[in-house]
Structures are given as structure tokens and as C-alpha cells.
Amino acid sequence: MKQADVVVIGGSAAGIPAAVTARRHYPEKSILLVRKEKQVLIPCGIPYIFGTVGTPENNLIPDGVLQSNNIELIVDEVKELKPIEKKVTLASGESVTYDKLVLATGSSPLLPPISGIDKKNVYLIKKDVQYLKNLLDALEDAKDLVILGCGFIGVEFADECKKSRDVNVTIVEMLDQCLQIAFGEEACRCCQEVEDYLGKKGINIITGARLEEVLGEDKVTAVRLSNGQEIKADALIVGIGVRPNVDLAQKAGLAVSKGGIIVDTTMRTSDPNIFACGDCADKFSFFTGQPSGLRLASIATTEARIAGANLYEISRKHPGVVGVFCTAIGNLTVAMAGMSEKGAKQCGFDVITGEAEAADRHPGGMPGMSKMWVRLVFNKVNGELVGGAVRGGPSAGELINTISACIQNRMRANDIATFQIGTHPAVTASPIAYQLINAAEMALKNMKS
Ligand SMILES: Cc1cc2nc3c(=O)[nH]c(=O)nc-3n(C[C@H](O)[C@H](O)[C@H](O)COP(=O)(O)OP(=O)(O)OC[C@H]3O[C@@H](n4cnc5c(N)ncnc54)[C@H](O)[C@@H]3O)c2cc1C
């Protein structure tokens, strides 16, 4: 029987940082990571396999990070967990005992209960190299591709698939607009621009309709929608969400909810020697303390860094999920952190907003300039920032992270309006026109009126 001080199950966005953080905090411990797959895909890069990066092999997390941190790797599936014996059993039959265990078993794509969904050429978005190679092959011969779901994954898939092949692409979305779950209705300006961009690329977007049936003999030939429309399809990609992988934990008797393996704010499960992080772990909102359904790699890594640090000595606590999204379609980047105005109101917050738009270089004629628009949502009662949306060029991707930092540090409009920034003509907005600061100023003005 093998033995390691720390065993991590899972080798993706949660497992790797959990193991690396454990190494940094507990240099004397032996650390073993077990994962199912030989090669680990960068999950967020999967859509780009179908266009920009070209193959699954160009979208892998290198194992070097494990080697350089002296983390032993076993590629195998953990079949059983026995918490009392502090032991896991692998598919190979080998057993490993642990002192501390981290569950980072992730999530699997949701298969909606739609008639005909089991037909050939219907693909889920699995984090699996061979599966995605099969999808690439199927797309080689496809003339008509339908994508179910117009969240950021559906949007990215559509853009990438269209980019590199001569195929008719249709996205089917039951909500009124693309990206609506991520952005809320207030930021529909961002969503509309994404729809306009995709439309110009020749991508057909059908919103407000459900996919009701997959048609064809054994292979998909068309789909039927709730509005009666039939759309030709020789491949269907389903990207509508995930469910947490909790079987191992559940069978071992750990507490599990609909949202995943139950953890406290230190990421400890119902067994004090077992931690869980990433898509498999239950989540709660930073704002309300209520369960959160968000599943993101950025959340997984944060949780992993909390779990890895806390294994032998509790030093970090999870404040709850803020939720920070970002996507780029063509030259347009749209991003969102925290609550939308509508979402905040639904949670009972009285809110005030402020907006600002300016060039993200100064003067505006500098190369690489994009117009950047920022909208901030503040809690009217205590003045704290609870949400923000950004639309612009590539610089929007980092500004949303600054907004997230402001939210997590419960900064108020006045703090942000007097935020000390660094600016340079070639890389930032002008200090006079700085969108984040001016959006806070506008919110302060709106609070007074
Ligand atoms: C197409 C796509 C695009 C995305 N884009 C973004 C993005 O831009 N930004 C963002 O923040 N998030 C994005 N996400 C979400 C992100 O991918 C997930 O939140 C992230 O992968 C979660 O990481 P995880 O480690 O918790 O789980 P997973 O990535 O699901 O990994 C689970 C790991 O556990 C292993 N495992 C499970 N069970 C066992 C077992 N019994 N034995 C051994 N090993 C086991 C698996 O082999 C795997 O290594 C995207 C997701 C998809 C599908």
C-alpha cells in the first residue's frame, strides 16, 4: 500500500493549485496528485481548439508544474474513498493512505432530457482530448452546426467554429438574449454588441426558443424548436451547464447538497481531514450568503488556494463567490463582476449606478486604442460597490479584476473616486478620463440627485 501525507484527487483548475499551495505551505509533506486523464486540457481554452489553437494538444496544462513542485503524479481513477481508514482505492487495485485529502473532482456537462439527444453527432463539451478530437473530425464534414446555449461557452464555440470552416452555425437560446445569465439585463448593451458581431460573421442566433427534439435516424439531421422551427443540423453541440462530480464523496458518506460537496468557509468537508474545492464543491454568494450556482476556473483556483493552505493549519477563509466573467469575441471584450443591477434588486438591495466611457489610451489616437465603457452598481445604503460591467478591448479583461478587488474589499464610491492609479498613454486611459473613477463619480452624483 502506498502512503502520502497529502493526496489530491483531480488534476485540473482546482487540483493543481491545491497541490502547489500545499507544497508552498507545507514543504516537508509528501504530496500525491491522482487524476483520471493522461493529458489535462486547459478547460477555458477548449472553444479555441476549434479555431485559433487548432488541436487539443495545443491546449494542454503542462505537467512541469507538478514536477517542479515535487508533487508525485498517478494517472488513474479513484474508485473508492474510505474516510475512517484514510484510504483511497484506485482502478488499478492499488490503495493509497493519506493524512489529508483534497477532493477536486470537478464537474461533468449536463445532458438535457431532450428527445433524441442520444443520437450520433450530438456532442457535450467534455474535458477529454480524444472526445474533442472526435468532435473536430465530425465538424470536418459538417455543413450545418447547431449550438445549444448562448452563454459565454456557446458564443465562443460559435465564433471559433465559424472562423476556420465553411459551416452554417446556428445558436439556440431559450432566454431573450445571449450572455444574459452572466450579464443580467442591465448590461444588454454588451450582449447586443456580441449578437451584432456574431450576426455580421454570419452566425444565426435564435433566442427565446427551446430545443425540443433532435431529429434523424441514428444520426442528427435537424433539430425542432419550441416555436415550431426546424433547423438542419449534421452536428449539435450542447453547452448548457454542468453538474458537480460528487459520487465518490457521497458514497464515502460525506455531506453533499444539490450544489456539490458541502464545505465550510475553510473548504473543509464534513470530515475534518478532507477538503473540497472547485466545481465539485458547494458554493455561497459573497453578497447574500445564499447558495451560488457559479462554476468557474477562477473560482476553482481561489478555493484550491484556500484548501491547500488550510490543510494542517487554518489560515484562509472563503468570503463567498463574487463571480467574475470575461469573454472576448473579435475585438470586443465584455466582462462582469458581482451583481447586475437587476440581480441586486432581486436580492433586496437598494442600488445606485454610475457609468463612464472613454478611450483606453491617451490621446485616443494611440495605437491599439479601444473605447471602454464601465458601469458600477453600488449599495445605496452603505455605499459599497456590489457589481460592475466593462465593455471594450483587451484591457477590459484586467479592469474587471480591479473591480472585483474593489468589491471584495467592500470599497465605497468615494474610495474608488479617489483610488490611486498609474497611467501611461500607451497602455491606459487618461487619468482625467479614467472610466472606473468617473463611473464612481457619476454614481456619487446620482446618489445626491
Ligand atoms: C468550454 C469551457 C470554457 C470555459 N471557460 C472558462 C473561462 O473562460 N473562465 C473560467 O473561469 N471558467 C471557464 N470554464 C469553467 C472551468 O472550466 C471550470 O470551472 C474548471 O474546469 C473547474 O475546475 P475543476 O478542477 O474544479 O474541475 P475539472 O476541470 O472538471 O477537473 C476535474 C478533475 O478531477 C479528475 N477526477 C474526477 N474524478 C476523479 C476520480 N474519481 N479519480 C481521479 N481523478 C478524478 C478529472 O480527471 C479532472 O482532472 C469553462 C468551462 C468549459 C467547459
Side-chain angles (χ1 to χ4, degrees), residues 104-170:
T105 49
S107 61
S108 303
L110 275 176
L111 181 66
I114 294 173
S115 164
I117 198 83
D118 53 352
K119 291 195 197 307
K120 235 180 118 202
N121 272 20
V122 177
Y123 286 87
L124 301 174
I125 302 168
K126 293 192 184 173
K127 300 164 209 149
D128 177 315
V129 169
Q130 189 51 53
Y131 186 88
L132 296 176
K133 278 186 176 173
N134 295 346
L135 173 53
L136 267 175
D137 288 345
L139 291 181
E140 279 293 302
D141 307 321
K143 286 274 157 285
D144 299 286
L145 168 66
V146 173
I147 296 172
L148 177 59
C150 203
F152 63 93
I153 292 174
V155 161
E156 290 168 10
F157 256 93
D159 192 32
E160 290 295 311
C161 288
K162 183 79 184 169
K163 200 179 263 182
S164 48
R165 50 187 70 72
D166 182 21
V167 61
N168 301 315
V169 179
T170 302

Side-chain angles (χ1 to χ4, degrees), residues 6 63 149 203 207 243 246 262 270 348 350 360 362 396 443 449:
V6 177
D63 282 338
I203 293 165
T207 54
R243 59 174 171 76
V246 298
I262 295 178
S270 51
D350 192 5
D360 67 352
H362 56 293
S449 55

Side-chain angles (χ1 to χ4, degrees), residues 202-214:
I203 293 165
N204 180 24
I205 302 178
I206 301 174
T207 54
R210 286 173 185 276
L211 197 154
E212 287 199 332
E213 193 177 357
V214 180

Side-chain angles (χ1 to χ4, degrees), residues 9-15 34-37 43-44 46-47 76-78 104-107 125 127 152-153 248 278-279 295-298 300:
I9 308 177
S12 179
V34 190
R35 66 170 197 236
K36 272 196 276 196
E37 65 280 64
C44 314
I46 290 173
D76 202 341
E77 182 173 358
V78 176
T105 49
S107 61
I125 302 168
K127 300 164 209 149
F152 63 93
I153 292 174
L248 199 61
D279 280 10
R295 295 286 180 274
L296 289 167
S298 49

